[in-house]
Amino acid sequence: RLHSKIVLVDGEVAIIGGINIDDRYFGKDGKLPWLDFAVKIRGPECGYVLDICRKNWNKTFIGKEKRSLEKLEKIESHPDNVQLKVNLNNWYRNKMEISRNYRSMIRLAQKSITIFASYFLPGSNDRKLLAKAAQRGIDIKIVLAAESDTPIFEKATHFLYDFILRNKIKIYEYQPTNLHAKVAVADGKWSTIGSYNMNRISDYASIEVNVGILDEAFTLSFEEILNNIIAKDCKEVTITENSKRSFISRFMGWVAYLAVRLVMRVLVQMTMKKRKK
């Protein structure tokens, strides 16, 4: 279930994002690196990061001599004084911090929302929230992969295009290489970067870690980076273009959507705690 991507050094600095350590993510055989993001943080939240890492490491099958005993006596606040919170999704441990953050962001947004999502397959409640936000006049942009490393997921996401576009939400497909990013910004004030995908696996099966940042200077700078990527490297999918998809393509999308949803349901059931009779 471990899907988080964390580097923690001396309890003082942490790097959290969606980046895996593997040649294909950095580009090889003449291919470009995958698009992804991570954020480096310092300060008190590194203590929470250590707590997350220790709980993941110190499982019952790890011998006492190999267990993590690191402790942080005191962590000084960083002089930049950026408001941030490390958020954890681990439904098995009753932690749904990232999911709640995303939903609060969608409900409370006043002007704009931009989401980069590598494996985008939100549940019905999240889709309703996005539709209601669009009805309020929020400018919503969702950036997805033109070609995914998981073709069945790509087809399943295409099945949602009709719903998304019908609700006046813009879709862009990233063209140069695979999109692996999992980030969002809202109103030029709030941003989140991490491993969380908007789908049921990230909600109810995987262990995910994101950093939520409430800082206008940082978010405006990050939003500018995202908007430049949209302008230079993405192609907008319009209702007219989407309507040209063949019946076979639409049917395959429907089948892929049902298949992925079934796999997600099975994974969630496997993750659930066994209740005592």
Side-chain angles (χ1 to χ4, degrees):
R1 298 192 305 119
L2 188 64
H3 190 248
S4 53
K5 298 92 166 59
I6 301 171
V7 175
L8 178 65
V9 181
D10 295 336
E12 296 178 358
V13 58
I15 300 172
I16 298 172
I19 301 171
N20 291 305
I21 301 175
D22 189 302
D23 285 348
R24 64 176 179 160
Y25 295 98
F26 297 102
K28 67 174 186 177
D29 300 330
K31 295 182 179 180
L32 293 171
W34 291 13
L35 179 64
D36 216 331
F37 295 94
V39 62
K40 182 171 72 173
I41 67 170
R42 296 178 184 272
E45 280 301 279
C46 288
Y48 185 36
V49 177
L50 176 60
D51 184 56
I52 292 170
C53 293
R54 285 185 61 188
K55 286 180 179 177
N56 286 336
W57 179 267
N58 290 342
K59 300 299 183 183
T60 54
F61 52 81
I62 296 291
K64 291 184 178 180
E65 72 283 357
K66 294 182 180 180
R67 290 190 167 223
S68 168
L69 301 175
E70 292 97 335
K71 291 183 179 180
L72 302 178
E73 299 297 332
K74 184 180 180 181
I75 309 176
E76 298 293 335
S77 294
H78 199 266
D80 285 349
N81 198 31
V82 174
Q83 294 185 71
L84 61 88
K85 179 74 175 69
V86 174
N87 297 307
L88 172 67
N89 249 42
N90 188 349
W91 182 68
Y92 187 82
R93 300 296 181 191
N94 299 316
K95 289 283 189 178
M96 296 289 283
E97 296 169 343
I98 308 173
S99 302
R100 286 199 299 267
N101 251 9
Y102 262 85
R103 287 157 194 165
S104 294
M105 174 269 294
I106 296 170
R107 278 194 295 264
L108 299 175
Q110 297 179 348
K111 296 179 181 179
S112 64
I113 298 171
T114 302
I115 299 171
F116 277 56
S118 50
Y119 307 105
F120 184 77
L121 206 68
S124 58
N125 290 335
D126 289 340
R127 295 201 300 271
K128 288 176 183 176
L129 283 176
L130 287 167
K132 288 180 179 179
Q135 290 167 10
R136 299 198 312 269
I138 308 302
D139 179 24
I140 304 176
K141 297 188 285 259
I142 300 175
V143 180
L144 306 169
E147 287 189 22
S148 174
D149 61 310
T150 311
I152 189 171
F153 219 107
E154 179 186 339
K155 288 183 173 61
T157 301
H158 284 170
F159 176 71
L160 298 180
Y161 276 22
D162 283 337
F163 171 86
I164 296 170
L165 294 169
R166 191 169 63 248
N167 282 281
K168 299 180 180 180
I169 298 170
K170 300 184 183 74
I171 298 176
Y172 296 87
E173 290 183 340
Y174 181 70
Q175 302 294 316
T177 182
N178 192 48
L179 173 73
H180 197 251
K182 307 99 164 44
V183 302
V185 297
D187 293 340
K189 298 178 181 179
W190 176 92
S191 50
T192 184
I193 300 170
S195 63
Y196 173 84
N197 291 298
M198 288 192 72
N199 62 47
R200 291 299 181 91
I201 295 178
S202 281
D203 278 336
Y204 300 113
S206 299
I207 298 172
E208 310 281 10
V209 176
N210 271 43
V211 181
I213 301 167
L214 188 62
D215 185 84
E216 189 169 350
F218 175 88
T219 300
L220 287 174
S221 175
F222 185 38
E223 191 171 37
E224 184 178 0
I225 292 171
L226 299 181
N227 286 334
N228 284 337
I229 292 172
I230 292 173
K232 295 178 181 178
D233 298 324
C234 295
K235 178 184 177 183
E236 185 173 1
V237 179
T238 64
I239 292 179
T240 303
E241 289 177 350
N242 190 59
S243 65
K244 294 178 181 178
R245 290 170 53 212
S246 66
F247 170 78
I248 294 177
S249 175
R250 292 173 181 272
F251 177 74
M252 293 303 295
W254 175 70
V255 171
Y257 176 79
L258 293 180
V260 171
R261 293 277 293 179
L262 176 61
V263 171
M264 287 182 177
R265 188 176 294 273
V266 170
L267 289 173
V268 170
Q269 291 295 324
M270 291 171 64
T271 307
M272 290 179 67
K273 295 181 180 179
K274 293 181 179 178
R275 299 182 182 273
K276 293 182 179 179
K277 293 183 180 180

